[in-house]
Amino acid sequence: MGSLLVKETPGHTRGSISLIDLRTHFAFVGDLIQTKGGNAIAGDRRFIFPFPAMATQDKTAAIQSFEKISKDQYARYYCGHGSYLENNSEKIQRMIARGNAKIN
């Protein structure tokens, strides 16, 4: 058995996946989230760095994917743009609330 688990996390693109390192409990989520320009789920346009949001196919699916993967409370979430996000339930809940507010 390998040390990486593959999870489907659509939203930024239809076939997006995240990789979970079972040894470190780190999640590599790619463009599902960003920390550059402010913590955001794909589709949540940040003024300083808007590009991931501009290329997101399904904002609702991105939020649902991040909600699903964050329930497993991984130690860190490594993203495609910016530094990693430490597991912090307050920050994660703010990101989810902000994303939901933008699509409703």
Side-chain angles (χ1 to χ4, degrees), residues 37-103:
N39 297 336
I41 300 171
D44 179 358
R45 185 179 295 205
R46 293 303 197 136
F47 177 75
I48 295 172
F49 193 71
F51 308 111
M54 294 165 61
T56 296
Q57 291 181 335
D58 188 335
K59 297 174 186 179
T60 302
I63 293 166
Q64 291 170 348
S65 289
F66 189 60
E67 282 181 306
K68 180 179 73 173
I69 203 165
S70 66
K71 285 181 183 174
D72 292 329
Q73 298 185 351
Y74 297 108
R76 290 181 179 166
Y77 299 87
Y78 285 88
C79 56
H81 302 283
S83 184
Y84 61 84
L85 176 69
E86 288 281 353
N87 184 1
N88 177 311
S89 60
E90 278 185 37
K91 283 184 184 178
I92 289 170
Q93 290 307 313
R94 279 197 304 265
M95 289 170 66
I96 292 168
R98 179 183 162 99
N100 279 323
K102 293 222 171 185
I103 60 170

